[in-house]
Amino acid sequence: MKRYGIIFLTTLLGLGAVAAAAAGASIFGSKGSISVERLAHRVQPNTAFRPAISPKDLKGVNFESACDFTHRNTDDAIVFPKQPGKSHDHSYFGNSTTDAYSTLRSMKNGSTNCDQPGDLAGYWVPTLLDPQGNPVEPRRASIYYRRKILEPLQSFPAGLKLIAGDSKATAPQDPDITFWNCGPFVNMQPSSTIPKCPDADKKSLGLQVRFPDCWDGRTLDSPDHKSHFAYSQRYHCPADHPVAMPMIQLIVRYSVTGGAGYTLASGGQLSAHADFFNAWDPAALKNLVDSCLNALKNCSSS
């Protein structure tokens, strides 16, 4: 498989002096229509890094952006842009300004509580509700950027929007995409439902969501906010989504034991999902992708 380098449109992405081409907008669907930005770009071979030799080379290759809980609201800048209060309740991490009116520009002018100073991205999940229907404030989100592809990776383009998991699920989802557990110190299998954890003071209920890592190379969003991406298979990207990207693994921890009475604001216990709106400083993100992921290094503390 070829290794890809991408030059993005300056006025569309705000990346500075990068080669410019042309841009347009497409409207999809008649119900809840959305505008999707299309990128005119040129793909070049990436000669800076060699491919990994085998899947063993990818073990433990990652960097982490640990972000505190910032706020809650019933907005969704990806699914319901400019429509405040139309969504179920969300819990946010990272960028402190994320709401229904968020744009790449507004988020770049915001602040972050992530320990990676360049991470101005917005991350959000449906709010967890206790048995009385009260919101449970998350402790923190550990956001791992991992390499699961043999070919060298590209950085996410600025303004990219992406959802992983199914907010309407009424049956167990693929555990390779999302699951619950009770933290790294409790020996238990991943669960599609919210487990009862042994001790909220020492171990914490956790939700994990894994994002896809292969981009179509053309669109910052898609009508379902998913189909512009695909999950890699056997350490390679499919031909229709050829651009290799980091795999984001978002882990949210709560200081509660969980159990049968807990639900998600999106409905029941099976509707876990997460949203990602990329507003990283491009240079900071590229440095981490290249110096950690493309260099086959573990740059996180855990």
Side-chain angles (χ1 to χ4, degrees):
M1 181 178 288
K2 292 183 179 179
R3 289 164 285 179
Y4 295 87
I6 296 180
I7 298 179
F8 301 105
L9 180 62
T10 303
T11 55
L12 183 60
L13 299 182
L15 292 181
V18 189
S26 298
I27 304 298
F28 296 84
S30 59
K31 182 179 180 181
S33 297
I34 62 169
S35 176
V36 177
E37 296 173 278
R38 292 195 171 275
L39 307 179
H41 69 279
R42 183 158 52 94
V43 177
Q44 295 179 324
N46 182 352
T47 58
F49 297 94
R50 296 179 180 178
I53 296 174
S54 77
K56 291 181 180 180
D57 297 330
L58 305 180
K59 186 176 181 180
V61 174
N62 73 92
F63 66 86
E64 180 185 2
S65 185
C67 308
D68 289 330
F69 168 73
T70 57
H71 61 289
R72 294 174 34 244
N73 62 37
T74 52
D75 295 353
D76 193 318
I78 295 179
V79 179
F80 300 114
K82 300 180 181 180
Q83 299 178 72
K86 190 168 182 179
S87 179
H88 53 260
D89 201 86
H90 285 113
S91 296
Y92 291 84
F93 307 89
N95 199 299
S96 62
T97 68
T98 313
D99 62 17
Y101 296 100
S102 288
T103 63
L104 178 59
R105 176 178 291 183
S106 72
M107 294 179 75
K108 282 186 171 296
N109 289 329
S111 60
T112 182
N113 60 20
C114 299
D115 61 1
Q116 294 284 358
D119 188 1
L120 284 163
Y123 310 88
W124 59 97
V125 298
T127 296
L128 180 66
L129 306 175
D130 69 16
Q132 289 73 46
N134 300 311
V136 176
E137 184 173 310
R139 287 174 48 201
R140 204 176 202 203
S142 297
I143 302 150
Y144 291 94
Y145 286 69
R146 303 188 185 277
R147 179 171 170 182
K148 298 297 182 182
I149 300 172
L150 293 177
E151 287 73 31
L153 309 183
Q154 301 293 335
S155 297
F156 293 112
L160 179 78
K161 301 174 184 179
L162 186 59
I163 295 177
D166 185 356
S167 64
K168 301 184 184 335
T170 57
Q173 298 189 56
D174 185 341
D176 286 337
I177 297 177
T178 184
F179 63 86
W180 296 89
N181 68 7
C182 292
F185 305 110
V186 177
N187 185 18
M188 67 171 293
Q189 293 296 314
S191 174
S192 60
T193 55
I194 300 173
K196 177 74 171 178
C197 297
D199 189 338
D201 293 328
K202 296 179 181 179
K203 289 91 177 179
S204 57
L205 177 68
L207 170 63
Q208 298 202 28
V209 181
R210 294 169 177 162
F211 286 78
D213 50 356
C214 296
W215 183 41
D216 66 10
R218 301 189 310 274
T219 55
L220 295 177
D221 199 359
S222 55
D224 62 358
H225 316 295
K226 297 179 182 181
S227 58
H228 54 313
F229 264 74
Y231 288 90
S232 58
Q233 300 292 327
R234 297 184 178 182
Y235 309 102
H236 296 283
C237 284
D240 56 352
H241 291 77
V243 185
M245 298 251 153
M247 187 276 282
I248 296 176
Q249 181 181 12
L250 186 150
I251 306 173
V252 181
R253 296 291 177 198
Y254 305 88
S255 294
V256 294
T257 57
Y262 284 81
T263 58
L264 289 168
S266 47
Q269 294 191 346
L270 302 172
S271 62
H273 61 284
D275 298 53
F276 169 60
F277 190 144
N278 181 35
W280 270 86
D281 174 77
L285 179 58
K286 185 178 187 302
N287 178 63
L288 287 166
V289 170
D290 287 345
S291 62
C292 299
L293 305 187
N294 285 330
L296 300 174
K297 294 181 179 179
N298 181 342
C299 295
S300 71
S301 57
S302 57

